[in-house]
Amino acid sequence: MLGGGYRRHSSGLIVTAPATASPQAVLNVAQQLDAVVVSMEDLTRFRTPHPWGTETGRFVKLARVEWNWVFV
């Protein structure tokens, strides 16, 4: 069960975190759901408590390039 303001979208494919959520809380929920994390923030500093985040395809960085959003 998701708590703390997390919302699961009706399709069940996307979970959003509130802006006030700590990166550690987001990673904990992602680990529970075996989810891919999409974030603008660099979460590599959390590798030690969440080593699965470095697995291929588990973390996608989102960036704004001019007027477009890109996955890097």
Side-chain angles (χ1 to χ4, degrees):
M1 172 172 231
L2 298 176
Y6 289 87
R7 295 182 317 173
R8 184 182 303 242
H9 290 261
S10 60
S11 67
L13 299 176
I14 298 172
V15 175
T16 59
T20 57
S22 73
Q24 292 168 323
V26 170
L27 291 170
N28 287 337
V29 170
Q31 186 173 16
Q32 291 172 17
L33 298 175
D34 195 29
V36 174
V37 176
V38 178
S39 177
M40 291 177 62
E41 187 172 340
D42 182 8
L43 301 174
T44 56
R45 68 181 184 272
F46 297 102
R47 277 186 289 208
T48 301
H50 301 284
W52 58 268
T54 59
E55 295 172 8
T56 302
R58 292 301 301 267
F59 176 75
V60 178
K61 183 120 169 79
L62 184 64
R64 182 85 189 239
V65 178
E66 295 182 16
W67 293 99
N68 301 304
W69 290 99
V70 294
F71 298 101
V72 292

